[in-house]
Amino acid sequence: MTEATTTKIHWNGGIQSEAISILKEDGGMIVSPTKVGYIIMTSDDKGLERKFAAKNRKRNKPGVVLCGSVEQVKELAQMTPEIEQMYQKHWDEDILLGCILPWKEEAKSKLPNDGTKDLMMDKRETSCFVIKFGTPSENIAKEMWGKYGKFSFASSANPSGKGNRGVVAGIGDQIENAADLIIEANDYVASIQSDKNSDTRYEQGVMVSMVDESGQLIPEQNGIVGVQPAPILIRKGLDVDKIMKIMSDIFPSWDYRHGFYY
């Protein structure tokens, strides 16, 4: 008897209904394409548990919340007007961005009351809220939130510490066998960094911390130099040059500390 293989489909160019059907049910887990490679997408605690098991991943990092609009970020996360401006600028220019932010108190109540909170936040009760991560997965996240009020949580679809090279074959057997569905779009992923090869391409997005060591939101700067704590770019990635330019336009002071959080 041969082992059942996970269904693989090529991205249809729109909203992948097969993915919605799986993720709106309890415990669904899929692999989906983004601008930088493949991710695992889940929507509740059972799915998150499956993700941790499939990746052999530590639980100390902030969870990634995929947002299909700036309005969704505003609804869920605490932000200053300057951080909102930063999100809007990246949205308008279609630039992948993830910021570590504290949850709004009223938004925490929207999380399923099933243990999701413990798996989605770090001990400081922060998460990474991501926008413009790539049309195939953006379409799913927007539909899940807008139509079903369900979150889309993400983690890179590769064994912890190893990149997937932007091809579905790189996700590894363990994740491939664990997922309910794999959406393949190697052509879409390749088109985002068409001038790069497997050695020079970015396998992740930029992550910026907008909180202090205790998870409190950083203060507004209002054009004043030297305000601390300031934003910290804690992970370089796709379009880091564009993101640093935008940060410099909005924040007189910010730090570059790649790998600082981890």
Side-chain angles (χ1 to χ4, degrees), residues 27-93:
M29 184 177 100
I30 69 164
V31 172
S32 185
T34 70
K35 290 177 177 176
V36 286
Y38 288 87
I39 56 169
I40 296 170
M41 288 181 71
T42 59
S43 63
D44 56 26
D45 71 320
K46 293 188 186 74
L48 288 165
E49 289 286 5
R50 290 178 64 192
K51 183 253 314 193
F52 282 114
K55 286 196 62 164
N56 302 322
R57 185 174 171 87
K58 294 178 182 175
R59 299 174 177 234
N60 62 330
K61 300 182 181 182
V64 172
V65 183
L66 301 176
C67 296
S69 67
V70 175
E71 287 65 37
Q72 186 181 354
V73 184
K74 290 178 182 177
E75 194 175 338
L76 300 178
Q78 297 176 43
M79 290 194 285
T80 64
E82 290 167 345
I83 297 171
E84 286 187 18
Q85 182 187 349
M86 184 162 157
Y87 267 97
Q88 191 63 56
K89 183 76 172 168
H90 285 79
W91 182 271
D92 294 343
E93 297 189 17

Side-chain angles (χ1 to χ4, degrees), residues 2 7 20 58 63 75 77 79 118 139 162 174 190 201 233:
T2 58
T7 301
I20 303 295
K58 294 178 182 175
E75 194 175 338
M79 290 194 285
D118 295 333
N139 287 348
K162 296 181 181 178
Q174 190 168 338
R201 69 181 298 276
L233 197 154

Side-chain angles (χ1 to χ4, degrees), residues 34 40 83 108 133 151 167 191 204 249:
T34 70
I40 296 170
I83 297 171
K108 291 177 191 174
F133 37 93
F151 291 91
V167 292
S191 73
Q204 55 194 10
D249 289 341

Side-chain angles (χ1 to χ4, degrees), residues 16-37:
Q16 203 78 45
S17 59
E18 299 95 329
I20 303 295
S21 298
I22 289 166
L23 291 174
K24 68 186 176 118
E25 301 301 329
D26 286 351
M29 184 177 100
I30 69 164
V31 172
S32 185
T34 70
K35 290 177 177 176
V36 286

Side-chain angles (χ1 to χ4, degrees), residues 35 67 90-92 94-97 130-134 138:
K35 290 177 177 176
C67 296
H90 285 79
W91 182 271
D92 294 343
D94 192 22
I95 299 170
L96 167 62
L97 176 71
V130 183
I131 59 166
K132 289 296 180 180
F133 37 93
E138 281 179 54

